[in-house]
Amino acid sequence: MTQPDLDRFTSRRSTVYAPNGVVATSQPLASQAGVSILQQGGNAFDAAVATAAALNVVEPTSTGLGGDVFALYRTADGDVGAMRSCGGAPAEATIENVRASLKAQDDPSEWYPENRGYAVDGTEDTDDLGMPFLGPHAVTVPGTARGWEATVERFGKLSLEDALQPAIDYAIGGYPVSEVIASHWVGAETLFKTDHAREAYLKDGKAPEAGETMTLPRLGESLRRIAEEGADVLYEGDIAEKIAEEVQSQGGFLTVEDLAAFEPEFPDPVSTTYNGAEIYELPPNNQGLIALEALNIADELGASDHPIDSPERVHYFAEAMKLAFHDGHRYITDPEYEEVPPLASDSWAKKRAEHVGESANHDVSFGVPDANAEDADTVLLCVADDEGNVVSFINSRFAGFGSGLVAGDTGIALQNRGASFSLDPGHPNHLEPGKRPFHTLIPALAKFDDDDWAAFGVMGGYMQPQGHVQVVSNIVDYDLPLQAALDLPRWRYREDGTLAIEGRMDGNLATKLTRKGHDVRVLAPVLFGGAQIVRNDNGVLSGATEPRKDGNASGY
């Protein structure tokens, strides 16, 4: 392990080191939940589930039981694997049925909110509308509960009941809401329309203020039942019935049969070698290939040959991201329905790198999936233990509280991941029964040496692969310590073709990027994603987390 150069140490805090285990997440109370499980004898997988469940309660603005969960992991035995626990569209969710349902609505505008880039007149021709961003048709089968259960049963040392207990305690006993989460919670005041949704997440119709104690008893009761009865209660029992009833009452097609048929998967990760490090991502239907393609193109262009704060480095990485996004949004979908080309191959990168010059390319667009995913947020957590397990675990409903639907008295807010489908039958990611939509969520692993592994991730819609690329480069190309690698100011290619940078970047860098043809914008730090990372370097455990949110890395 190299020693950091303290003369260039500009991080606002140090990397966390611990002898027995490290948990890195976006909320301090959730980190403590994970650490408590490690202290009870659990391993990194038990702690990951405990932390994710706690985040469902203390950061419900970004994650929940009504969403999906994914993992990448390296076990103490040396196995490298992935878990994908995301459901597909309901069996009756065809393009024709969705369009017919939209036509039957007096005013579908609430499903296309203007603050998400839509402006819908209820009288206009619904044949011209895209996939609804909110509402019943955006709800896909949630994968969270069975994903948690499968993680603990396959890899953990404790029970699911043990892992969920901290979350249940927070939900029933209450907790003070932190500042960033309180600011995100305000959107629920207009999002939730039904009485049971507002009663579950608001106090007298208002979101909690920073420092205010919040309880979520309905969600806590659902967590307690899952802990005691297993995940089947959400997929086959009365909770499943309430989920299906909620969606159908709003005109959607989700059934108990759709829920009962769901099972998590354990696919092989996809990977590439970047400057000697092996980087692992999730395969389609997730956007992991976008990160790998961008790394390969940037490597082909020699982006890392330039100084870390140079305009050339940012330019070549950003141009690589543009091409990777274009390809990913064109091809990535459920591989059981469409073939996805080898976007992470060296040969593909060589061909795409030929399209990059010294000036910005403006003839590149994201296209679909839904552009409103650009600023969506989520939670990602990472855990390392002294047995040698490292886990990157990500859990989300897509956009904030999701679809706007809460299932009866369960406190379970349902995701809007189906918004990423296209209603264009010619697009690879078009809606089909049972099909899983394009997914932004991507945990990641990095192998730096045989006994040097990191689990990491960057949150926030389309920021995720861009954050992965930058964090990997900061560590691999420039040998930054973990916390410094996360703290370094970031750039971000936007769907509208602009190149956003953080205000902490040197002003001359923005000017020089502009001279290279980039349309540079300065955006708020929160839009550049939270991030977490843990590392086991030959038995030395360390972790770091993102100060752009409420991040906290804890060890014991």
Side-chain angles (χ1 to χ4, degrees), residues 376-400:
D377 209 351
T378 186
V379 297
L380 177 132
L381 62 102
C382 300
V383 187
D385 63 31
D386 58 1
E387 297 177 17
N389 300 299
V390 293
V391 185
S392 180
F393 207 76
I394 190 166
N395 201 163
S396 176
R397 296 192 210 91
F398 192 29

Side-chain angles (χ1 to χ4, degrees), residues 270-341:
V270 289
S271 69
T272 194
T273 300
Y274 177 79
N275 199 4
E278 189 77 7
I279 310 302
Y280 295 86
E281 297 276 359
L282 280 173
N285 57 317
N286 298 68
Q287 63 174 340
L289 287 179
I290 293 176
L292 299 183
E293 181 183 349
L295 282 171
N296 288 339
I297 296 173
D299 195 29
E300 190 69 25
L301 295 169
S304 64
D305 296 340
H306 302 280
I308 193 169
D309 57 354
S310 67
E312 289 80 13
R313 180 203 182 213
V314 176
H315 167 71
Y316 285 121
F317 269 113
E319 292 300 296
M321 277 308 328
K322 290 181 184 181
L323 294 169
F325 268 128
H326 176 273
D327 295 345
H329 284 198
R330 179 178 180 182
Y331 294 114
I332 293 176
T333 187
D334 188 332
E336 293 185 8
Y337 288 74
E338 301 282 348
E339 184 176 355
V340 180

Side-chain angles (χ1 to χ4, degrees), residues 176-188:
V177 178
S178 57
E179 293 172 328
V180 173
I181 294 168
S183 70
H184 291 170
W185 210 309
V186 173

Side-chain angles (χ1 to χ4, degrees), residues 196 203 272 366 464 488:
H196 56 256
K203 286 185 172 182
T272 194
F366 277 24
Q464 293 185 48
L488 199 71

Side-chain angles (χ1 to χ4, degrees), residues 20-23 33-44 47 383-385 556:
N20 301 306
V22 178
V23 180
V35 168
S36 72
I37 292 299
L38 292 174
Q39 292 172 328
Q40 292 175 40
N43 63 15
V383 187
D385 63 31
Y556 93 103

Side-chain angles (χ1 to χ4, degrees), residues 37 152 158-166 168 224 226-228:
I37 292 299
V152 170
L158 303 181
S159 68
L160 181 63
E161 186 172 8
D162 293 329
L164 298 189
Q165 193 58 51
I168 296 169
R224 184 193 64 78
I226 293 168
E228 294 178 357

